[in-house]
Structures are given as C-alpha cells and as structure tokens.
Amino acid sequence: MEIGYFNGKFISLEDAVIPIDERGHQFGDGVYEVIRVYNGKPFMMDEHLQRLIKSAEAIKLPLTDGIEELRSLINEGITKAGLADCSVYLQVTRGIAARLHLFPDVPVSISMTIRPAKALPIEMREKGANAIILEDERWSNCYIKSLNLLPNILAKQIASEADCFEAILVRDGVVTEGTSSNVFYVKDQNIYTAPLTRHILPGITRIVVKEISKALYIPFNEEHFAPGKLTQADEVFITSTTSEVLPIVKIDGQAIGTGEPGEITTRIYEQFQAKLIE
Ligand SMILES: Cc1ncc(COP(=O)(O)O)c(C=O)c1O
C-alpha cells in the first residue's frame, strides 16, 4: 500500500496535510532524498542519509534528527507500507511560518512518501535510451539535493518532447550531469565521468559504479569533458537511484558506438544487480 508521512503522522497520500505556509510548498526551501528499497531492504541507506544531512547543513537547516532517527522513521514507513520493492522520498523543509524570506524560528518539517518502485520499460532497459544535450541552467550549488528542481523539470520536459529519456547538461563547455542522473562514457575500455564539484550531485549510484569498476579492473577517470566526447564514445550510460545503470544509445539523434548497449555498461549493470541481492 502507498503511504505518506507528515510531521509525526503516517497518512494516506490523498490526505490534505500541508499547511499553506509550509516553506517547502511556498519557497522550495528544503532538501530531499530518494531511496530505493529492494526486497524490503533500503539500498545504500546510510549514504543517502549522510548526503541528506550534508544537504541540510549546506542550506543551514537545523536537522535535529540524526541518521538513527531518520533510519527508524524510514524503516517504520516501509513496514507500514508492506512494500518489498518501493521508492522512499524524504523531504525536510524549513518548517511552517508566515511568508517571509528570512529563516523562521520554527521546527523543520519532515515528509515522506512510499510507493511501489516504477520499473523502466523493458525495451528501454534492453535496448537503451535516447538523450539530448542542453545548456545547464541550474544554480551553482548542484551538490545540494535541493527541492528547487525547476531547471531540471524544464530540461526533462524538453527531452521528453524530443522523444528522449534524459537531457544531458553542459555548463561552460563541459558535461555536468543529467537532469536526474550522473553521466558516464566508455572509451578504449576506460570509464569517464565528471569530477565531484559543486556543479553536480554526488550520486549514490555513482559510488556503487565506481566500486564495481574497481572490482572489474576498469579504469575510472573523473575529469571534465566536452559533450563531443559522448558522441565519439564507445558507450554512454547514466546512473540514478531510480534508473540504476541505464545505457544511452543515441544522443541528439546520433548513435553511440554500435547503437546498442555496450559490453562494459552491461557488465556494470549485471554487477549492480548482483549487489542488490547481497
Ligand atoms: C541532478 C541529479 N544528479 C544525479 C542523480 C543521481 O543520484 P543518485 O544515484 O544518488 O540517485 C540524481 C538523482 O536523482 C539527480 O537528481
């Protein structure tokens, strides 16, 4: 069963519970995480919660709950939902106060939704997805998982209208990441991805892919690269909590490599799947 949570109470997703003066609603003044649950177990939960705490600190949000409290809240929600394979979205905002930009002296709000995980279409998983390249119009602090997602939403919509699954973003001539994913390419048996700067989100799936590359003895290079590297690559893939490891086979209408999911991407995805049942 899908369920929600808002400030101390588990609720139905249809319940109207957000007060009009909630700052997440009025300003997007908060941070969030999404955690995938496989077979009843949240995957990489500690890493997600650590990132949430870092995001909260970065926007000076006084998160009094630590990892242990948040972990038990999420586990309680998963048990209540009774869903073995689900996605947990957890939002923390600067609370409920009459509208004023300045920080109010009120407790933070914590909300959560738990829904069955949405699998990508099998055809996309097997044949790969298409992407387009767009200018990265976001702010300079993309390492914070902020609730402000307007530029991401606009870019994703442009991608969708161009029959693409993802928009790959370029800032100052170099690829940063996707609207909701990290971006990788393979050239001559090496993996390349953008380094962790304030312009990209330090993806949790990216950590897993880095570990897998090490285990498979595939060199993992973190360096800035121009979008042209992607169209000349042998393989391209993106990663995220919800799409896992997904091959990109066409960018701006141009086939990547053979135009089919590549060997290294496939090996990484297989190893990723193996980790889920460890
Ligand atoms: C902008 C952005 N980059 C990267 C990612 C991938 O991060 P993760 O692997 O932690 O889901 C996401 C995930 O939603 C994202 O929104």
Side-chain angles (χ1 to χ4, degrees):
M1 167 185 70
E2 305 183 333
I3 58 165
Y5 168 93
F6 183 64
N7 285 351
K9 273 197 206 124
F10 282 95
I11 52 165
S12 146
L13 292 185
E14 284 75 45
D15 289 351
V17 291
I18 306 288
I20 197 87
D21 278 336
E22 215 293 319
R23 289 177 69 97
H25 156 67
Q26 291 211 351
F27 292 106
D29 185 7
V31 293
Y32 79 107
E33 272 300 322
V34 51
I35 303 174
R36 193 59 170 76
V37 177
Y38 296 95
N39 208 10
K41 275 192 252 154
F43 183 61
M44 304 287 282
M45 169 118 96
D46 280 357
E47 287 77 2
H48 280 286
L49 292 178
Q50 275 158 15
R51 187 172 67 186
L52 182 70
I53 287 168
K54 277 194 194 139
S55 292
E57 278 170 7
I59 65 159
K60 301 184 168 64
L61 195 69
L63 190 52
T64 46
D65 284 353
I67 288 206
E68 283 323 308
E69 286 93 344
L70 294 168
R71 195 208 311 271
S72 22
L73 174 65
I74 291 169
N75 282 333
E76 191 186 348
I78 295 167
T79 307
K80 274 201 190 332
L83 294 169
D85 286 294
C86 56
S87 298
V88 178
Y89 280 80
L90 183 72
Q91 292 78 219
V92 186
T93 80
R94 214 178 302 274
I96 303 157
R99 196 182 194 286
L100 196 65
H101 283 61
L102 291 173
F103 294 178
D105 187 13
V106 296
V108 300
S109 290
I110 298 186
S111 65
M112 179 166 67
T113 60
I114 303 181
R115 291 188 160 94
K118 245 196 249 148
L120 290 178
I122 291 178
E123 199 186 342
M124 187 185 285
R125 188 51 72 227
E126 287 177 356
K127 297 198 171 150
N130 300 341
I132 54 168
I133 295 190
L134 291 179
E135 197 57 33
D136 192 339
E137 295 187 343
R138 300 173 303 161
W139 70 332
S140 309
N141 297 312
C142 300
Y143 69 100
I144 301 170
K145 203 161 167 64
S146 154
L147 287 175
N148 285 270
L149 288 174
L150 204 43
N152 309 56
I153 289 168
L154 294 175
K156 190 86 166 184
Q157 184 64 26
I158 293 171
S160 175
E161 287 170 12
D163 282 329
C164 289
F165 177 71
E166 181 61 301
I168 294 173
L169 306 174
V170 174
R171 185 194 290 252
D172 299 331
V174 296
V175 171
T176 51
E177 57 184 342
T179 65
S180 56
S181 60
N182 291 113
V183 176
F184 303 75
Y185 73 92
V186 178
K187 187 73 181 173
D188 300 331
Q189 308 289 313
N190 272 249
I191 293 177
Y192 295 85
T193 195
L196 294 182
T197 64
R198 59 196 297 128
H199 292 154
I200 74 165
L201 186 76
I204 305 301
T205 322
R206 183 186 186 278
I207 299 174
V208 181
V209 165
K210 190 172 174 178
E211 280 170 14
I212 293 172
S213 312
K214 221 184 216 175
L216 294 177
Y217 301 104
I218 303 168
F220 188 90
N221 305 280
E222 297 171 72
E223 55 186 53
H224 291 297
F225 61 90
K229 290 283 184 191
L230 295 177
T231 37
Q232 292 153 17
D234 301 327
E235 306 175 27
V236 173
F237 63 92
I238 57 173
T239 64
S240 77
T241 297
T242 51
S243 44
E244 303 172 329
V245 177
L246 183 68
I248 296 294
V249 291
K250 220 185 238 185
I251 296 177
D252 285 347
Q254 205 177 317
I256 307 302
T258 61
E260 289 178 3
E263 185 217 320
I264 288 186
T265 307
T266 306
R267 283 170 69 201
I268 302 257
Y269 181 59
E270 283 167 3
Q271 292 298 311
F272 182 84
Q273 291 297 310
K275 277 192 182 286
L276 304 180
I277 47 172
E278 265 171 16

